[in-house]
Each structure stands twice: as structure tokens, then as C-alpha cells.
Amino acid sequence: MKKIIFILFFIYIGIISCSQLIVVQEPQVKVLGGKTLIEAQVLGRYRQIDESAYQISTLTSEKDLNLILVSTNVNEEIAFEYRQALIKSMFNQDEINLYKTNEYIGENNRGYLSYIAFSVTTPKIEYSKERIKYIQEIIENENKNRKTVAEYIILSDPKLTMANLKEVETALYRRNIQRNILNSYYQLPDDSWILNTTNSNK
């Protein structure tokens, strides 16, 4: 009887040991107010970028580009592209906002601009084909600038890789909605579009 108990005891110890060996812990993804830690971190970086853009809003020359602070983790080419993208985006904002309120441009849920006239909205002003082509070019250029800034954020942070691009773009989306102007459209996560009727610009 003692022999059987002894054998059962060793089998029990063996099972416990094996079960401890095969336990796999899933990586934790902490969420802060609906944001992952990465998104919260990236939103902080976007706030710094917005502050830089505000401070350099009066710049007029190429030399002034050097006043925009960049990370020492990126090379000169990436730094230059980032500065150029930031300046271009900043100076295009007035026109973008005009076409937003005229219901030709909306903020999509991927962090970029979309042409929404006649598919999502019925604009009050109907522009010529030439003007519509110009608006579409503005959208394309702004989206390139936003992508450059998003990639800069990744390349300037050793903790991030291009695998984090989606999270960076999600943070960009959140930031764009926070800054979206009155009477302009933005896309919800379920792909539906809604008109911003509250002043959420921060």
C-alpha cells in the first residue's frame, strides 16, 4: 500500500512540474482610457509635434527648417523629410479646413484624409472638375505628409518598429478627431461618417 501511495505521489509531483513548464503567459497589452500604452505614448509625441508646428508658424525660409527639433536617433535625410512634411502640412491646414467645411474632405478612421463629396455628403457648393482635381491633390499630398510624420515617430523611437505603424496611425486618428474643426465630417471606427457639431479642438 505504501508503495502505491509513493508511486502516486511521484506521479502527482510530475504532473504539477509538467503543468508549470507548459504554462505560457500572454504578453500584457495595457489600455489607458481606451488607448494602448503605445498609442498614449505616440499621442504625447504628436502633441510635441503640434507645439513645434505652432511655434514655427511664422517661418518663411528654408533655413528656418533647422529650428524644428528632431530626434538624434534619425539620420539627416529622415530629419529633412520630417521637417518638410511638417511645414507643408501646417501651411495646407487653412485650405484643408475650408474644403472640410464645404464637405469635400473628411477625416477617415485610418488617420488620413478622404474625398467624401457626393458619396458621403452633398456639398452646398459645387466646384468645377479642375477644383475637384486640385482638392484631390491636396488630400494626396497631406496624406503623404502624415505618413512621413508617422514613420518619423517610429524611426525616432528605439522601442518602435514599422510593425507598430497601425498603432501610430490609430493615435494619429485620435489626435485628428480631437483637433477636428466644427461642421466637418469624420469617420467612426465602424466606417460610418458623422458631422462634428461640437468644438472638440484641443
Side-chain angles (χ1 to χ4, degrees):
M1 183 68 177
K2 285 183 180 179
K3 192 174 181 182
I4 292 170
I5 292 171
F6 189 74
I7 292 168
L8 288 173
F9 176 76
F10 271 101
I11 291 171
Y12 175 74
I13 294 296
I15 290 169
I16 289 174
S17 299
C18 289
S19 66
Q20 287 177 344
L21 287 173
I22 60 171
V23 168
V24 178
Q25 274 192 322
E26 289 187 17
Q28 284 188 333
V29 178
K30 293 184 181 178
V31 176
L32 303 172
K35 307 179 194 74
T36 66
L37 283 174
I38 289 175
E39 285 174 36
Q41 174 189 336
V42 170
L43 273 171
R45 295 289 302 284
Y46 272 120
R47 276 191 287 275
Q48 292 171 354
I49 288 169
D50 289 337
E51 286 170 14
S52 295
Y54 178 76
Q55 289 168 358
I56 58 167
S57 59
T58 58
L59 304 187
T60 55
S61 71
E62 287 278 324
K63 289 180 183 177
D64 292 331
L65 285 173
N66 294 323
L67 298 175
I68 304 171
L69 296 177
V70 296
S71 170
T72 55
N73 293 325
V74 298
N75 62 38
E76 287 183 18
E77 184 183 353
I78 292 168
F80 178 77
E81 288 174 358
Y82 160 68
R83 286 177 171 132
Q84 287 279 8
L86 192 59
I87 290 286
K88 288 174 186 174
S89 182
M90 184 180 63
F91 284 113
N92 282 336
Q93 279 313 300
D94 286 344
E95 272 195 298
I96 288 169
N97 288 341
L98 171 66
Y99 296 128
K100 278 184 176 182
T101 55
N102 286 341
E103 301 183 1
Y104 278 81
I105 294 177
E107 291 284 349
N108 66 40
N109 58 15
R110 299 180 305 283
Y112 299 96
L113 296 178
S114 287
Y115 180 80
I116 59 171
F118 309 108
S119 58
V120 174
T121 67
T122 305
K124 295 169 187 172
I125 301 170
E126 193 164 340
Y127 291 129
S128 65
K129 288 180 181 178
E130 290 77 18
R131 177 68 71 89
I132 288 172
K133 184 180 177 185
Y134 175 71
I135 293 170
Q136 290 170 334
E137 285 172 0
I138 286 178
I139 291 171
E140 185 180 344
N141 290 333
E142 172 64 10
N143 287 343
K144 281 180 185 174
N145 293 332
R146 291 186 183 189
K147 189 73 172 278
T148 298
V149 173
E151 289 176 352
Y152 162 78
I153 286 175
I154 292 170
L155 293 170
S156 65
D157 190 334
K159 297 174 190 169
L160 300 177
T161 69
M162 283 303 169
N164 297 115
L165 182 59
K166 181 69 177 170
E167 287 170 292
V168 173
E169 289 174 336
T170 299
L172 174 58
Y173 166 67
R174 290 178 185 273
R175 170 251 199 185
N176 292 341
I177 299 313
Q178 286 175 347
R179 299 169 73 241
N180 207 24
I181 60 171
L182 278 170
N183 301 316
S184 62
Y185 280 83
Y186 65 95
Q187 194 175 30
L188 297 174
D190 67 2
D191 293 341
S192 61
W193 290 85
I194 186 169
L195 181 66
N196 178 30
T197 55
T198 58
N199 192 358
S200 58
N201 196 359
K202 294 179 182 178

